[in-house]
Amino acid sequence: MQVNAKNYHTIWVHSENKQIVRVIDQRKLPFEFEVVDLYTAADAFEAIRNMTVRGAPLIGVTGAYGIYLGLIGATDLNWRTELLTFAEYLKSARPTAVNLAILIDEMVELLSVCSSRELAYDRALEEADRMKLREIAWSEAIGDFGCELIAEISKRKDDKPVNILTHCNAGWLACIDWGTATAPMYKAFQKQIPIHVWVDETRPRNQGARLTAWELSQEGIPHTVIPDNAGGHLMQHGLVDLCIVGSDRTTSTGDVANKIGTYLKALAAYDNKIPFYVALPSSSIDFTMKDGIKEIPIEQRDTDEVCWMEGQLENGKIGKVRIINEKSPVTNFGFDVTPAKYVTALITERGICKANEEDILNLFPEMRGKINSYTD
Ligand code: MRU
């Protein structure tokens, strides 16, 4: 997508030195646009952990490139053991987005057939590139399917703008291109379907206010940033036609873990009979889990993210101010789980389905065996 009218992906291999992987530093947006170079698996781990890169699909693809970077530094003799060690290490960078574990496990399996470190290293780059392109294709397909939903509502509204509410950043920054929740918006905008997006600011890190709003403004899409607690009011007053959010991990039964606060929006949407869609690639579906609330690991982050607010200071520099007194205890859960019953439908790369096991498996029949093997 566009940054100052130039097309970017969120991750790419350096054009002059293929041993360097480049990413956009999302901690600095929207105030500064900086590219960071990753040289080692440890760099990839740190970029995921400190949220230089974030968003489930991008975390997964960064993990895949992390495996590649790890193989550059591995020894010819012990590369197989080292590969398994840094695979586990990379997987531990963040716990909730399942894409990280899924893509790293896929990499490890694909590389297990290689007979030398050098062959594994070449193959790792090929596979990481393939996974990246696959995520782009999946996001675009999600965009096409989701756009049909927006088009239908637009027709019913006699082409008045369709108001879409979204939470956090499930945009191209969170993926490689297009985004998941934002892909239908970009597709609708390209087809000149009038839309307007309500962007939840998404405390404490403000991914909505800082990232989604920036993305949409780069593409020229009409939008308004709202405080997190405004969505219910807007819904009660007929100002939201549908919600579209992303997912960090969706169970085989359709429970959805996404950025903290998503569940409250789903409840408000349910109460107001507003469709609540979750847009996600299959790399965010955990076919080994059935009960999202009981089973999905929820990341707890540093309480400084709640105590301090980061932004642009009057002198133009990025800075922080403390907003909570030093004695009050604080907690910082990164995600919550929206039970399937509040999800109108899932928008995936293979089509739209109800958030239940049967309908999900009808779209992904090859996963039936996996589910049964975990149920037994
Ligand atoms: O903590 P973050 O910024 O990584 O959380 C991101 C989200 O919650 C996104 O909605 C989710 O990863 C889906 S991204 C397409």
Side-chain angles (χ1 to χ4, degrees), residues 164-339:
I164 307 165
L165 184 139
T166 192
H167 191 69
C168 193
N169 173 262
W172 76 270
L173 288 169
C175 304
I176 316 300
D177 208 351
W178 293 103
T180 55
T182 58
M185 305 173 199
Y186 291 129
K187 287 282 180 175
F189 189 68
Q190 284 181 356
K191 291 192 172 160
Q192 296 179 341
I193 299 170
I195 60 166
H196 165 264
V197 185
W198 296 110
V199 180
D200 280 350
E201 70 182 331
T202 319
R203 281 279 291 150
R205 289 184 68 99
N206 296 315
Q207 289 96 326
R210 292 186 63 160
L211 304 177
T212 306
W214 180 77
E215 266 196 54
L216 295 174
S217 62
Q218 292 288 328
E219 296 289 327
I221 296 189
H223 64 281
T224 308
V225 179
I226 49 172
D228 284 326
N229 29 23
H233 170 77
L234 295 175
M235 291 184 203
Q236 285 173 327
H237 289 269
L239 295 170
V240 179
D241 295 305
L242 76 162
C243 304
I244 314 180
V245 301
S247 170
D248 284 85
R249 188 184 299 235
T250 292
T251 63
S252 65
T253 54
D255 293 344
V256 171
N258 191 48
K259 181 53 56 193
I260 193 84
T262 302
Y263 168 52
L264 294 178
K265 292 302 140 68
L267 285 180
Y270 191 77
D271 190 42
N272 289 281
K273 303 189 176 38
I274 291 167
F276 188 90
Y277 293 104
V278 180
L280 73 160
S282 51
S283 52
S284 297
I285 305 178
D286 188 338
F287 285 94
T288 72
M289 286 189 181
K290 284 181 185 287
D291 184 331
I293 296 176
K294 286 202 188 125
E295 295 177 89
I296 298 178
I298 299 295
E299 177 177 23
Q300 276 192 267
R301 297 189 56 85
D302 195 324
T303 54
D304 274 2
E305 290 181 351
V306 182
C307 296
W308 295 80
M309 190 81 150
E310 194 186 64
Q312 191 171 36
L313 303 175
E314 276 169 345
N315 63 11
K317 296 218 161 93
I318 299 177
K320 303 198 286 190
V321 290
R322 192 174 177 98
I323 57 167
I324 297 172
N325 79 76
E326 285 184 18
K327 289 199 181 132
S328 293
V330 169
T331 61
N332 187 12
F333 290 96
F335 300 90
D336 60 24
V337 173
T338 300

Side-chain angles (χ1 to χ4, degrees), residues 99-229:
N99 309 55
L100 183 60
I102 288 182
L103 265 63
I104 288 177
D105 287 346
E106 194 181 340
M107 283 292 274
V108 170
E109 198 182 324
L110 290 164
L111 298 177
S112 66
V113 298
C114 298
S115 53
S116 70
R117 184 197 68 88
E118 221 171 321
L119 288 173
Y121 158 78
D122 285 341
R123 177 85 190 263
L125 178 57
E126 254 170 53
E127 296 297 348
D129 284 344
R130 182 186 60 82
M131 288 175 188
K132 171 181 157 169
L133 295 177
R134 185 176 69 181
E135 286 297 340
I136 296 174
W138 286 351
S139 285
E140 186 166 6
I142 287 168
D144 288 328
F145 287 118
C147 180
E148 288 171 23
L149 298 169
I150 299 174
E152 267 174 42
I153 297 174
S154 177
K155 261 194 227 141
R156 284 209 301 272
K157 286 190 79 178
D158 286 332
D159 294 333
K160 285 198 204 71
V162 177
N163 286 302
I164 307 165
L165 184 139
T166 192
H167 191 69
C168 193
N169 173 262
W172 76 270
L173 288 169
C175 304
I176 316 300
D177 208 351
W178 293 103
T180 55
T182 58
M185 305 173 199
Y186 291 129
K187 287 282 180 175
F189 189 68
Q190 284 181 356
K191 291 192 172 160
Q192 296 179 341
I193 299 170
I195 60 166
H196 165 264
V197 185
W198 296 110
V199 180
D200 280 350
E201 70 182 331
T202 319
R203 281 279 291 150
R205 289 184 68 99
N206 296 315
Q207 289 96 326
R210 292 186 63 160
L211 304 177
T212 306
W214 180 77
E215 266 196 54
L216 295 174
S217 62
Q218 292 288 328
E219 296 289 327
I221 296 189
H223 64 281
T224 308
V225 179
I226 49 172
D228 284 326
N229 29 23

Side-chain angles (χ1 to χ4, degrees), residues 53-129:
V53 293
R54 28 80 39 214
L58 178 57
I59 291 175
V61 171
T62 307
Y65 280 111
I67 294 281
Y68 159 66
L69 293 173
L71 282 168
I72 296 175
T75 59
D76 287 341
L77 205 60
N78 281 327
W79 69 270
R80 279 178 193 285
T81 321
E82 288 165 46
L83 168 66
L84 296 180
T85 309
F86 57 69
E88 287 312 308
Y89 165 65
L90 281 162
K91 281 201 267 182
S92 70
R94 287 190 77 192
T96 303
V98 72
N99 309 55
L100 183 60
I102 288 182
L103 265 63
I104 288 177
D105 287 346
E106 194 181 340
M107 283 292 274
V108 170
E109 198 182 324
L110 290 164
L111 298 177
S112 66
V113 298
C114 298
S115 53
S116 70
R117 184 197 68 88
E118 221 171 321
L119 288 173
Y121 158 78
D122 285 341
R123 177 85 190 263
L125 178 57
E126 254 170 53
E127 296 297 348
D129 284 344

